Amino acid sequence: MSDKKKVCIIGSGNWGSTIAKIVGVNVNKYDCFENTVNMYVYEEIVDGQKLTEIINTQHENVKYLKGHRFTDSIVAVPDVVDTVKDADILIFVIPHQFVANTCKPLIGKLKENAIGLSLIKGFDESVPGKINLISEKISSLLSIDCAVLMGANIAKEVAEDHFCETTIGCRNEEFGTVLKKLLETPNFRVTVVPDAKTVEICGALKNVVAVAAGICDGLSYGENTKAAVVRIGLKEMIRFCNTFYPTPRIETFFESCGVADLLTTCYGGRNRKISELFAKEKNKTFEELEKEHLGGQKLQGPATAIDVLTLLESQGKEALFPLFVAVARIAKKEIEVTQLLEYLRQDPEC
C-alpha cells in the first residue's frame, strides 16, 4: 500500500452511514488517507429536498441516521461511477440483493490495484443450486481483492459510540492493517483474521437463526427455547462451513463475527424484530412487514434462508440443517410458524 489512499463508501443506509461517521473521523486522523470520502447515496426526496443535498449541507443523513453528524470529509454523491473515481479502497454497504446492479456500471472503471471491503450480509443466489459469497461476487465482477467486515454491530449503538467489537476477514496482512486503521476507534475494536470465508458465512447465516429466534418470541416460547435455537443455530453455522467451505478456523466462530453477532442478532436487530411480528400477524408476509416497519431498510434472514434451502435441496443435505430448512419453509409459507419446533427436534446431534 503506497502513499495516501482515497476511500469511498458504496451505500448510505443505517449501517453505511454509521461506517461513514467512523471513516470520516479516521481519514482526518491518519496521514495515510485522503481527507475527502465520497459516499454513494441512492437519491431520494426527503421533506422536499434531495437527500444528497441535505447530507452535504447539514452533514447528517436525516433519513437513515438522524441525530448523528458526519465530518466535512463525507461527500454524498448520487452517481455510483462518480463515487468510485480514483478510489483505492471501496467499502460496500448495500443490501445483498443490489450488489450485481450496483457493481455492473463499475466494471472496467476502477483504479488499478483498488481493493474492496464488504459489509454486506447474505449470499449471491444468481446461480440456482449454488451459493457464492458476496465478496466473491464483488471480486469476480470488478476484478479486485475483497475483504469482509462482520460483527456484533447494531448500527444505532455503534453510532452512539457504545463499546463493541468487529471482525475483518482478510487474507492479505498488509491490506488488513490498513483497514483496521481506517475503521478502528477506541470504542469500535477491530480484530483482523485470515479466515475471511468463515467471517462472511457467519454474517449471513446468523440472520437465518435470528428469524427462528424472533418466531420464538412471537409465539412466547420463552428463554429456554430461544437459547436452544441459538445453540442449534450455531451448530448449523459451523456444520455449514465444514460441509461447503471445509477447514474453517474454529477460533473464528468465537470472534465478534461468530457467537457475539449471533447473540446480538437473536436478541435485537431487525430480523428478530420482524420475525416476531411475522409470528403474531400471520396474515402478513415478511415483505409487507419490512415495508411497514423498517423505513426503507431490508431484511436478510428470510431471503438468505431460501437461498440456503435451494443449495441444500440440490445436494440432498436438508436433514443436516433442520433449523435452516424450517426458516426457509416458513418464509415461503410452506409450513406454519408453529411447526418450527418439529424441525428443531430433528437436530441430527440430539
Side-chain angles (χ1 to χ4, degrees):
M1 309 289 289
S2 60
D3 302 325
K4 290 191 175 185
K5 299 299 174 186
K6 183 173 179 59
V7 181
C8 74
I9 301 171
I10 300 172
S12 57
N14 188 230
W15 187 216
S17 295
T18 298
I19 290 299
K21 183 180 177 184
I22 292 172
V23 169
V25 171
N26 282 355
V27 294
N28 290 316
K29 182 178 178 181
Y30 297 107
D31 290 337
C32 57
F33 301 112
E34 289 191 13
N35 296 130
T36 299
V37 176
N38 289 342
M39 178 173 70
Y40 171 57
V41 176
Y42 180 79
E43 193 69 278
E44 302 177 68
I45 302 299
V46 179
D47 296 331
Q49 189 176 2
K50 291 181 178 180
L51 183 57
T52 53
E53 293 177 355
I54 296 173
I55 292 172
N56 289 334
T57 56
Q58 300 180 26
H59 307 291
E60 178 183 346
N61 189 334
V62 295
K63 179 168 184 179
Y64 294 108
L65 197 66
K66 190 173 180 62
H68 295 274
R69 290 180 60 83
F70 302 130
T71 67
D72 294 352
S73 293
I74 302 300
V75 177
V77 180
D79 183 274
V80 69
V81 176
D82 291 341
T83 301
V84 306
K85 185 178 181 181
D86 297 325
D88 298 285
I89 300 173
L90 291 76
I91 301 176
F92 294 86
V93 205
I94 54 177
H96 77 277
Q97 300 95 323
F98 302 151
V99 169
N101 288 338
T102 302
C103 286
K104 283 176 182 176
L106 307 180
I107 295 173
K109 296 176 182 174
L110 300 186
K111 187 174 180 179
E112 187 177 1
N113 297 322
I115 56 179
L117 175 67
S118 172
L119 281 65
I120 302 168
K121 295 176 177 178
F123 292 122
D124 169 38
E125 70 285 1
S126 58
V127 180
K130 183 179 179 183
I131 281 179
N132 288 323
L133 303 181
I134 297 297
S135 63
E136 294 175 333
K137 179 78 168 181
I138 293 170
S139 294
S140 175
L141 285 171
L142 301 180
S143 300
I144 60 174
D145 288 335
C146 189
V148 297
L149 181 150
M150 306 284 159
N153 307 140
I154 293 176
K156 180 177 182 293
E157 296 180 12
V158 177
E160 292 173 352
D161 204 29
H162 296 184
F163 177 78
C164 65
E165 300 174 308
T166 199
T167 311
I168 290 177
C170 182
R171 293 180 296 274
N172 184 305
E173 185 176 352
E174 183 181 7
F175 179 11
T177 299
V178 172
L179 292 176
K180 180 180 174 76
K181 183 174 288 188
L182 177 63
L183 291 160
E184 188 166 63
T185 75
N187 282 330
F188 189 63
R189 189 165 68 180
V190 175
T191 300
V192 181
V193 301
D195 193 8
K197 289 182 178 180
T198 302
V199 172
E200 187 166 2
I201 291 167
C202 285
L205 293 181
K206 58 93 180 184
N207 286 320
V208 179
V209 185
V211 173
I215 290 170
C216 286
D217 290 339
L219 297 176
S220 300
Y221 281 160
E223 296 304 322
N224 290 341
T225 303
K226 191 169 178 180
V229 164
V230 173
R231 186 202 72 82
I232 294 169
L234 178 59
K235 293 292 287 188
E236 290 195 16
M237 289 165 60
I238 295 171
R239 193 178 302 137
F240 186 93
C241 288
N242 280 322
T243 302
F244 297 105
Y245 293 88
T247 65
R249 293 169 70 252
I250 193 65
E251 298 95 327
T252 303
F253 294 101
F254 296 95
E255 296 290 350
S256 182
C257 64
V259 65
D261 196 9
L262 178 62
L263 289 171
T264 297
T265 308
C266 287
Y267 284 87
R270 71 189 75 149
N271 286 279
R272 189 221 62 80
K273 172 186 174 182
I274 298 301
S275 298
E276 179 180 359
L277 295 174
F278 181 85
K280 291 178 177 178
E281 302 179 32
K282 297 179 182 179
N283 61 324
K284 293 188 177 180
T285 65
F286 279 111
E287 291 80 6
E288 289 170 335
L289 292 167
E290 177 186 86
K291 290 177 182 177
E292 289 178 14
H293 297 279
L294 293 187
Q297 297 182 65
K298 296 293 182 181
L299 289 177
Q300 296 87 22
T304 299
I306 292 169
D307 294 339
V308 168
L309 178 60
T310 301
L311 172 64
L312 298 179
E313 289 177 337
S314 72
Q315 307 220 0
K317 296 186 182 297
E318 303 99 298
L320 293 174
F321 302 93
L323 186 149
F324 294 167
V325 170
V327 170
R329 290 179 176 163
I330 288 170
K332 295 171 72 174
K333 293 284 190 176
E334 293 179 355
I335 64 173
E336 298 295 326
V337 290
T338 52
Q339 292 179 261
L340 174 64
L341 294 187
E342 295 176 23
Y343 282 76
L344 296 186
R345 293 188 185 104
Q346 298 169 22
D347 180 5
E349 294 190 3
C350 286

